[in-house]
Amino acid sequence: MELTGADIVIQSLKSEGVEYVFGYPGGAVLHIYDAFFKQDDVKHILVRHEQGATHAADGYARSTGKPGVVLVTSGPGATNAVTGVATAYMDSIPMIVITGQVPKSLIGNDAFQEVDSVGITRPIVKHNFLIKDVKDIASTFKKAFYVATTGRPGPVVIDIPKDITAEKHEFSYPAEIKMRSYNPTVKGHIGQIKRAAELILSAERPMIYTGGGVILGNASEQLTTFTRKLGYPITNTLMGLGAYPADDKQFVGMLGMHGTYEANMGMHQCDVLIAIGARFDDRVTGNLEKFCPDARIIHIDVDPASISKNVKVDIPIVGEVSQVLDDFNRVLGDMSKNDGSPALDKWWAQIDEWRSQDCLKYDRDSELIKPQYVIEQLHEVTKGDAFVTSDVGQHQMWAAQYYGFNKPRRWINSGGLGTMGFGLPAALGVQLAHPDAQVACITGEASFQMCLQELSTAKQYRLPVKILCLNNQYMGMVRQWQEFFYEKRYAMSYVEALPDFCALAESYGHVGIQIEKPSDVRGAIEEAFARKDDAVFLNFMTDKSENVYPMIPAGAGLNEMILV
C-alpha cells in the first residue's frame, strides 16, 4: 500500500521504536503534523521554542541511551534548533533532527522561510541528509538512526522538502543498513591491549581518567570491575560523573578547571595515565605544555579522530569502551596491585595527604544561604538517586562537586558547548522518559530566563520537575572571572530587573517557594519533593559573593589551582 511521505516519516519513526518526538509546527512540516494527528503510536511533545525541543530530546537521550528525536519547520524553526544541535554534537549525544524545507522547486530561490539547513548544520552534526525523492525517506531514516547511535554518537539532521511529504510511495523499512564509507571500529586491537596492560601493571603512580564516553558506551560496570581489580585512583570529567560511584574510596573527585585538589595533583604527578572515553578538552588539561609531564598515556576511545588530537598518547586503542574494558579485564586476569605494592601504597598515602586539604570546604556557619549547602541538602533529601539536570555557570559546578553521583545517566548537563537554557527543557525530556523518577533542575536566575517558556510545556504534560534556582542576582561565573581577572570591573554581569520567579512559576500554574534563610533550605526541598504531581520552583537567595573553588586560571597547569 502506498503512503504519503509524511506517513512514511511516522512509520519510519515507529519502526525505530521512537516513543516521543519533541517539536513545534510550521508550514513546511504540516503534512507530517497531519500524519501525527492520525496515529497514536509515536507521541508528539509540543514545546514552546525549537531550542527547547532539542534540549528536551537531548535530556531524553542522555538519561535513556536512546536517540532523541526533534521535528521543526523550515527557516527560523531550523535556525532556532541550531544551538541544541551544537550542544548535542559537542557532547556526542544521539539525536535525529527532522527539519522541514521549502518545496524542491523553490530551493535556492530565497523562498519564504527558506534556509540552507544542510549547509548551516554541517559543522555541528555527525551527518546530515537532504531528501530529494519520496522513495528515499525510509532508507534515509534507517541510515540516520544507524549513524547517530553507533561509533561515537551524535546528532543527524534530515531535511525534507514539503512537497516530498505529500507525494506517495510504497513503504518498506530496511531491516538493516550498510554504508560503505561508515564502518566504526568495535573491537580494540588485542596486541595494543596487552601492551597497555603491561604498562598499567608497571605503574607506580597510576591514574585512571574517564569521560562521558564510558557513560555513552554503557561501560560503567566494566569500568568499576577494571578499577577495583587494579586498586588505582580514578577521576571523572564533568561529563563522566556517575560512571564510577562517587562514594567509593578509589574515587578522587572530578578533575579539571573546578576539579578537586587530589584529582588534579594526582593527574599532574602520575607516571601512567589511563584515559578512557575522554577527549582531553581544555577544561581538563589546562595548559597543554604543563599537562601530565611525567606520564606515559594510554587512550581508549571509539573515535580514532580523538586520539592524539590534543595530547600525544603512547598506546592508542580504538574500539567501543565496553568491549575494550571487557578484554582488559580478561587480560589482567587475577593480576592486581591491590595488595602488597609498596609503590602503590606510597601513592595512595600521597593522595590521602592531598585529600586532607579538604578543597571543597565552605563556611557552613554563614547566615547567608551557601549554594553548596543547597546541593548537599538536595542529595540528602533525594538520597542521591535523582536525575539532576543543570544550566551552565557556578551552579553547574557546585552541582557537579557536591551532589555525588553514584550511577550513570543521572547527571544531565551541557558540558562541551556550555549552553545556558539547557536545564529546564532537558529536565522535561528526562521526566517524560522516567515518569516516576525524581528530577531536579539546578539553575541560576540568568540561565533560567533563556528557556523559561518551557514552563508551559511542563504544565501541558503535567511534568513534576523540581527547579532549584541558586539566585545570586549575578551572572555568577562571569562575575567570578571579572573579580579574579578583570580587577572587579563587573561589566554587565549584574542581572537587573529580575522577575518575581515564584509569581512567574505560579502564573504558569506551578508552585513557587521563596527561601531566604539557611534554616529553611531543607524543609523547602522536602516540601517540593513531597508534591509528587506538581512542578515546583524553589528560589534560593544565595550569597552573592560566593565563588567556585578550586579554580585553575587560563594558561595554568593542573597543579596551579586557586584554592581559596
Side-chain angles (χ1 to χ4, degrees):
M1 185 175 67
E2 288 192 338
L3 300 177
T4 65
D7 288 324
I8 292 173
V9 168
I10 302 300
Q11 290 302 315
S12 297
L13 295 175
K14 181 180 176 182
S15 297
E16 290 290 343
V18 172
E19 185 178 13
Y20 294 109
V21 173
F22 302 87
Y24 200 91
V29 288
L30 283 183
H31 293 317
I32 300 175
Y33 271 89
D34 192 51
F36 262 113
F37 188 82
K38 294 182 287 187
Q39 58 84 53
D40 297 315
D41 295 314
V42 183
K43 300 176 183 65
H44 182 275
I45 303 300
L46 177 66
V47 296
R48 299 310 190 264
H49 190 285
E50 291 87 354
Q51 183 176 341
T54 53
H55 294 333
D58 189 320
Y60 176 91
R62 292 182 200 236
S63 67
T64 64
K66 297 184 287 188
V69 182
V70 176
L71 173 61
V72 298
T73 194
S74 63
T79 57
N80 281 347
V82 163
T83 297
V85 174
T87 300
Y89 179 71
M90 287 288 281
D91 290 345
S92 304
I93 305 304
M95 184 185 294
I96 306 297
V97 182
I98 306 163
T99 58
Q101 185 54 274
V102 299
K104 286 184 297 180
S105 62
L106 295 179
I107 292 176
N109 287 358
D110 293 333
F112 177 67
Q113 292 193 330
E114 180 193 0
V115 298
D116 179 5
S117 297
V118 169
I120 288 171
T121 60
R122 184 172 286 117
I124 53 167
V125 294
K126 191 173 178 185
H127 196 60
N128 55 22
F129 299 90
L130 171 61
I131 298 179
K132 298 180 179 179
D133 195 310
V134 65
K135 66 180 176 59
D136 296 329
I137 293 177
S139 62
T140 300
F141 270 76
K142 186 68 176 181
K143 290 176 183 177
F145 276 89
Y146 174 61
V147 170
T149 57
T150 56
R152 180 179 179 174
V156 175
V157 166
I158 305 174
D159 199 34
I160 311 179
K162 182 174 183 178
D163 53 331
I164 288 177
T165 61
E167 295 171 3
K168 289 190 173 184
H169 192 266
E170 183 178 333
F171 174 70
S172 177
Y173 201 70
E176 59 182 33
I177 202 81
K178 289 185 179 180
M179 300 175 68
R180 186 174 59 183
S181 60
Y182 177 70
N183 292 290
T185 301
V186 175
K187 291 286 289 181
H189 190 284
I190 194 64
Q192 291 290 84
I193 291 172
K194 289 179 178 178
R195 278 186 62 209
E198 291 176 0
L199 178 58
I200 289 168
L201 293 177
S202 72
E204 295 186 350
R205 302 186 308 278
M207 181 65 73
I208 301 171
Y209 147 55
T210 73
V214 174
I215 293 173
L216 295 168
N218 298 311
S220 294
E221 183 178 340
Q222 292 91 332
L223 174 67
T224 301
T225 299
F226 175 79
T227 303
R228 290 176 176 164
K229 182 186 294 288
L230 291 168
Y232 292 173
I234 180 171
T235 180
N236 295 157
T237 66
L238 178 71
M239 292 302 302
L241 294 175
Y244 189 84
D247 62 3
D248 189 278
K249 64 181 181 179
Q250 287 176 244
F251 184 64
V252 296
M254 181 177 72
L255 81 160
M257 178 172 281
H258 295 293
T260 65
Y261 185 66
E262 52 268 32
N264 285 334
M265 291 300 292
M267 289 286 289
H268 184 73
Q269 294 194 20
C270 73
D271 66 345
V272 173
L273 178 62
I274 309 155
I276 308 173
R279 58 186 180 88
F280 294 90
D281 70 282
D282 62 292
R283 286 297 196 262
V284 161
T285 63
N287 188 326
L288 285 172
E289 294 181 0
K290 301 178 181 181
F291 179 71
C292 294
D294 301 319
R296 297 187 66 188
I297 301 175
I298 299 159
H299 190 184
I300 303 165
D301 205 285
V302 74
D303 180 11
S306 290
I307 294 180
S308 291
K309 179 179 180 179
N310 296 328
V311 173
K312 190 178 186 303
V313 304
D314 297 279
I315 303 179
I317 301 171
V318 178
E320 289 186 357
V321 172
S322 60
Q323 296 207 30
V324 172
L325 286 178
D326 275 336
D327 288 339
F328 259 112
N329 290 331
R330 281 192 292 270
V331 168
L332 290 169
D334 295 327
M335 297 182 292
S336 173
K337 300 184 85 171
N338 218 354
D339 300 309
S341 170
L344 187 58
D345 290 343
K346 183 178 179 182
W347 181 231
W348 270 113
Q350 175 63 80
I351 289 171
D352 288 338
E353 182 181 327
W354 288 326
R355 270 180 170 160
S356 69
Q357 294 277 344
D358 193 13
C359 66
L360 297 181
K361 61 180 177 290
Y362 64 93
D363 182 8
R364 296 178 181 275
D365 297 321
S366 173
E367 294 182 0
L368 300 174
I369 296 176
K370 293 293 184 177
Q372 303 95 321
Y373 178 69
V374 176
I375 304 300
E376 287 178 337
Q377 292 304 302
L378 173 66
H379 183 275
E380 289 188 18
V381 170
T382 61
K383 298 180 171 57
D385 202 36
F387 289 87
V388 179
T389 74
S390 84
D391 278 293
V392 172
Q394 288 180 315
H395 58 273
Q396 177 189 27
M397 294 300 107
W398 285 316
Q401 290 174 331
Y402 290 92
Y403 191 80
F405 296 92
N406 284 333
K407 298 177 182 178
R409 300 193 182 279
R410 295 303 178 100
W411 171 230
I412 314 293
N413 80 117
S414 171
L417 196 64
T419 306
M420 293 173 70
F422 176 85
L424 175 59
L428 303 184
V430 173
Q431 191 77 78
L432 279 162
H434 308 275
D436 298 324
Q438 299 177 114
V439 180
C441 168
I442 308 297
T443 189
E445 76 290 337
S447 283
F448 183 73
Q449 293 185 88
M450 293 281 188
C451 284
L452 63 81
Q453 74 283 343
E454 299 310 327
L455 286 172
S456 182
T457 305
K459 181 64 176 178
Q460 180 173 347
Y461 297 99
R462 297 178 175 85
L463 300 174
V465 298
K466 314 308 178 194
I467 304 159
L468 288 79
C469 181
L470 306 183
N471 187 342
N472 60 11
Q473 301 176 62
Y474 276 99
M475 296 180 199
M477 192 60 82
V478 173
R479 183 204 56 76
Q480 179 169 333
W481 277 63
Q482 289 170 335
E483 176 184 334
F484 288 5
F485 310 119
Y486 295 88
E487 299 178 346
K488 298 185 178 180
R489 293 187 295 273
Y490 299 126
M492 276 56 78
S493 59
Y494 177 68
V495 183
E496 297 178 337
L498 289 173
D500 180 337
F501 284 106
C502 292
L504 178 68
E506 290 168 357
S507 75
Y508 279 95
H510 305 307
V511 177
I513 303 175
Q514 182 89 354
I515 307 97
E516 298 182 356
K517 295 186 296 185
S519 58
D520 294 334
V521 169
R522 175 65 174 253
I525 297 174
E526 288 177 337
E527 179 184 348
F529 281 94
R531 292 177 171 270
K532 302 294 186 183
D533 299 324
D534 296 322
V536 182
F537 189 101
L538 298 111
N539 192 33
F540 295 96
M541 303 306 296
T542 62
D543 185 349
K544 297 179 182 181
S545 64
E546 191 69 13
N547 289 322
V548 179
Y549 295 107
M551 180 176 181
I552 300 174
L558 293 182
N559 63 327
E560 299 173 307
M561 286 163 277
I562 301 172
L563 295 177
V564 289

